[in-house]
Amino acid sequence: MSKKIQNKTNIYSFFNCIEKNFDKATRFIPIEKGLLEQIKECNSVYRMNFPVKIGKQIKVIEAYRVQHSHHKLPCKGGIRYSMKVTQDEIMTLSALMTYKCAIADVPFGGAKGGIKIDPQTMSEENIEKITRRYTSELIKKNFIGPGIDVPAPDYGTGEREMSWIFDTFLSLRPSDVDALACVTGKPVSQGGLRGRKEATGLGVFYGIRELCKMKEEMDSIGLEVGIIGKKVIIQGLGNVGYHTANFFYEAGAIIVALAEREGAIYNKNGLDVSQVILHLKNTGSILNFPKAKNIKNTESALELECDILIPAALENVIHINNANRIKAKIIGEAANGPITPEADEILEKKGIIIVPDIYLNAGGVTVSYFEWLKNLSHVRYGRMEKRFNENMNARLLQVVETICNKKISKKEKKIILRGAREIDLVRSGLEDTMINGFHKIINLKKSSNIENMRTAAFLLAINKIIDSYEKLGIFP
Ligand code: GLU
């Protein structure tokens, strides 16, 4: 498929990297090569150029939507705004979405979109114009819809962009009763779901927490069981990195360094994440945070002493030239594709445990699935059963109090009586998905004697996709 691209840090195109990981896993699958090729390739690639008037000038905007797999519909995946957007990048990210959805057990094919702009240098008005035009381009070619392809936030986009997408879709498809389900990651006031915003970060936390519970794995890298006291570095303080940092901090980990585009900050005794965010809001930069050391070269923050390193921004940040200097014992891939295949091999030889992106950052799409279901069912989670459960709990408590002849304290009553709210159900669904996914990967790794979690995760995903193709009767 894509040709090898030569540059100083990476001898493969991004798509080649994923192909390499795919091929490592398919050694374990005795199935016809052509069928695997079908799974590997991108089904539809839509590249568009459209004009937008910016100030007095007309600018031609380059954008993409790639649907990697139609084995399950709709296709699902975010839309990113970045000057680094290329066809190769979006194709790769769409492929990762397919495997991610299979591992998280959400019934979607993978997709991804991208617009080549730098939102940080643009006015809100222009970003809105571009977003709305991009959406109408997707509608024209039938590349968006609740049963076709459902975008979501990604690098450089958020709730605001998703609400513009929804609004544009609704204005062109006013009679579609399910229009709300055409995009996820919307604001709660516009059909969004409580818990979606922090879902990827929380999923990352759940995944690493699960690994840290495993005595055998922790012994192999010389760490204690548990999250408390673990030294963590997080690269990228966007939506994913910020929430990841917060969940680790709240659980008692020590956030020794945080890295952003402009540089990194370090304190071996730990940084207070909410204070850093406040400082960032006030000064526009994380640098010069009180009692922390500034690190001008943001990349070198990845090489600092720590237990857990979490790249949470863009791809290929750990490559052949810096892999040898990484000191972390665990790397959690909150970003998509942060490690090149060459770096992967170096890190594996060093005995570092890598928790792969296609599993670890699946929390976002998992909760997107819950949002999509809520939109299609037209009812808020918990609406039907909350009051009923509260009444049942109250009766049960009365019986317990009578039988035991003991009054339960007001504080305890409050906890026991409360019926599940939407956020409780979303978080418990996410936790369950992340825990199940982790154990499926680890069990497969052990039972098939696979060298690392990434290959096991790919094998798990590919097997599931083959399964659905067989059920569809496409692969006889
Ligand atoms: N952009 C996120 C990802 O890469 C979320 C995708 C979604 O929710 O559809 O997983």
Side-chain angles (χ1 to χ4, degrees):
M1 145 98 265
S2 11
K3 292 225 172 74
K4 282 186 183 180
I5 291 173
Q6 208 83 33
N7 70 34
K8 82 174 185 340
T9 52
N10 184 16
I11 59 162
Y12 296 97
S13 81
F14 195 19
F15 199 80
N16 286 146
C17 298
I18 305 307
E19 284 186 315
K20 225 177 161 226
N21 292 327
F22 185 99
D23 294 342
K24 272 190 194 164
T26 51
R27 282 175 296 156
F28 297 90
I29 307 176
I31 192 171
E32 202 195 308
K33 222 172 145 245
L35 307 182
L36 293 173
E37 280 300 311
Q38 165 61 26
I39 295 175
K40 210 182 336 182
E41 294 297 339
C42 288
N43 289 176
S44 316
V45 179
Y46 177 20
R47 180 198 154 124
M48 62 202 101
N49 287 295
F50 52 80
V52 173
K53 199 154 184 201
I54 304 220
K56 288 205 167 89
Q57 284 181 329
I58 291 178
K59 287 249 185 276
V60 179
I61 306 291
E62 178 183 330
Y64 302 87
R65 183 73 184 172
V66 176
Q67 296 171 348
H68 172 258
S69 179
H70 294 147
H71 75 288
K72 291 213 173 189
L73 286 171
C75 294
K76 188 86 191 78
I79 295 177
R80 63 173 48 190
Y81 291 179
S82 145
M83 286 310 286
K84 290 196 175 138
V85 162
T86 61
Q87 182 171 324
D88 176 61
E89 183 196 43
I90 302 302
M91 282 169 62
T92 313
L93 296 170
S94 73
L96 289 175
M97 284 309 302
T98 295
Y99 309 126
K100 205 183 291 187
C101 291
I103 291 171
D105 217 1
V106 295
F108 301 134
K112 199 71 151 204
I115 306 185
K116 192 170 180 173
I117 52 169
D118 179 2
Q120 294 210 325
T121 61
M122 297 183 105
S123 68
E124 183 168 4
E125 197 191 337
N126 287 333
I127 301 174
E128 177 171 357
K129 238 191 253 176
I130 292 168
T131 307
R132 288 186 182 276
R133 177 66 192 248
Y134 174 75
T135 311
S136 47
E137 294 294 328
L138 294 179
I139 296 171
K140 266 199 254 173
K141 291 278 192 279
N142 220 12
F143 258 70
I144 183 171
I148 299 167
D149 188 345
V150 180
D154 200 85
Y155 186 84
T157 59
E159 289 184 344
R160 182 184 67 170
E161 286 73 15
M162 302 308 115
S163 71
W164 291 330
I165 292 174
F166 163 62
D167 188 58
T168 310
F169 185 85
L170 187 66
S171 65
L172 293 168
R173 297 264 190 278
S175 59
D176 188 343
V177 69
D178 290 326
L180 264 180
C182 79
V183 62
T184 60
K186 302 178 290 295
V188 175
S189 59
Q190 264 184 293
L193 186 64
R194 287 161 192 86
R196 172 62 185 85
K197 214 174 180 174
E198 66 273 26
T200 312
L202 186 54
V204 170
F205 171 72
Y206 285 146
I208 300 288
R209 187 190 65 181
E210 218 44 36
L211 171 67
C212 290
K213 280 184 191 163
M214 312 274 296
K215 174 116 179 57
E216 198 187 323
E217 267 69 17
M218 289 302 101
D219 283 349
S220 76
I221 50 175
L223 291 180
E224 296 284 318
V225 169
I227 287 285
I228 298 175
K230 292 261 182 321
K231 293 195 180 108
V232 181
I233 295 176
I234 292 165
Q235 183 243 357
L237 275 182
N239 181 49
V240 177
Y242 163 61
H243 287 292
T244 304
N246 243 337
F247 287 115
F248 273 94
Y249 179 75
E250 280 168 16
I254 303 167
I255 312 296
V256 288
L258 291 168
E260 258 290 63
R261 293 181 197 208
E262 68 273 18
I265 49 173
Y266 175 80
N267 182 339
K268 72 173 184 348
N269 300 317
L271 300 158
D272 181 331
V273 177
S274 53
Q275 289 303 316
V276 175
I277 295 301
L278 206 65
H279 174 79
L280 173 63
K281 276 190 186 139
N282 291 337
T283 67
S285 161
I286 58 168
L287 294 176
N288 303 320
F289 181 69
K291 290 192 200 138
K293 193 176 141 204
N294 282 340
I295 298 167
K296 285 270 151 57
N297 176 5
T298 188
E299 259 216 9
S300 60
L302 301 167
E303 300 164 18
L304 295 167
E305 204 82 50
C306 70
D307 299 319
I308 305 170
L309 171 63
I310 304 196
L314 286 171
E315 53 267 19
N316 296 339
V317 291
I318 303 178
H319 43 74
I320 196 162
N321 296 330
N322 65 0
N324 251 321
R325 294 195 296 271
I326 301 289
K327 296 182 192 69
K329 309 258 173 53
I330 297 169
I331 302 181
E333 295 188 323
N336 290 309
I339 303 176
T340 67
E342 302 88 346
D344 220 11
E345 278 166 25
I346 298 171
L347 299 169
E348 203 186 318
K349 279 195 195 118
K350 282 166 71 103
I352 297 173
I353 300 181
I354 299 170
V355 188
D357 48 4
I358 53 170
Y359 156 69
L360 195 66
N361 68 32
V365 75
T366 301
V367 176
S368 274
Y369 170 49
F370 302 155
E371 180 175 333
W372 181 74
L373 290 176
K374 172 186 171 178
N375 294 153
L376 292 177
S377 66
H378 301 259
V379 64
R380 184 186 75 237
Y381 286 105
R383 177 167 177 183
M384 309 291 277
E385 62 272 39
K386 184 169 181 286
R387 185 75 49 184
F388 176 81
N389 288 340
E390 284 176 357
N391 291 341
M392 289 303 281
N393 292 347
R395 271 204 233 164
L396 203 69
L397 266 190
Q398 266 174 7
V399 174
V400 172
E401 281 184 332
T402 319
I403 293 175
C404 302
N405 198 16
K406 195 177 167 235
K407 281 267 169 231
I408 291 167
S409 76
K410 258 196 180 161
K411 201 174 151 202
E412 271 173 328
K413 257 191 192 163
K414 214 175 153 195
I415 298 169
I416 300 166
L417 283 180
R418 191 168 66 78
R421 299 162 302 170
E422 184 166 87
I423 184 81
D424 302 317
L425 295 167
V426 166
R427 291 209 168 164
S428 107
L430 173 61
E431 186 175 10
D432 192 55
T433 304
M434 294 310 294
I435 292 176
N436 280 341
F438 180 86
H439 290 286
K440 276 190 199 148
I441 295 169
I442 284 287
N443 291 343
L444 187 60
K445 177 177 175 289
K446 287 188 178 155
S447 65
S448 304
N449 229 341
I450 299 171
E451 57 280 15
N452 57 49
M453 276 187 81
R454 190 187 312 282
T455 305
F458 265 92
L459 181 59
L460 178 69
I462 297 163
N463 274 334
K464 277 191 131 184
I465 297 162
I466 291 173
D467 225 39
S468 356
Y469 269 118
E470 279 171 351
K471 279 196 190 112
L472 285 172
I474 294 172
F475 290 177

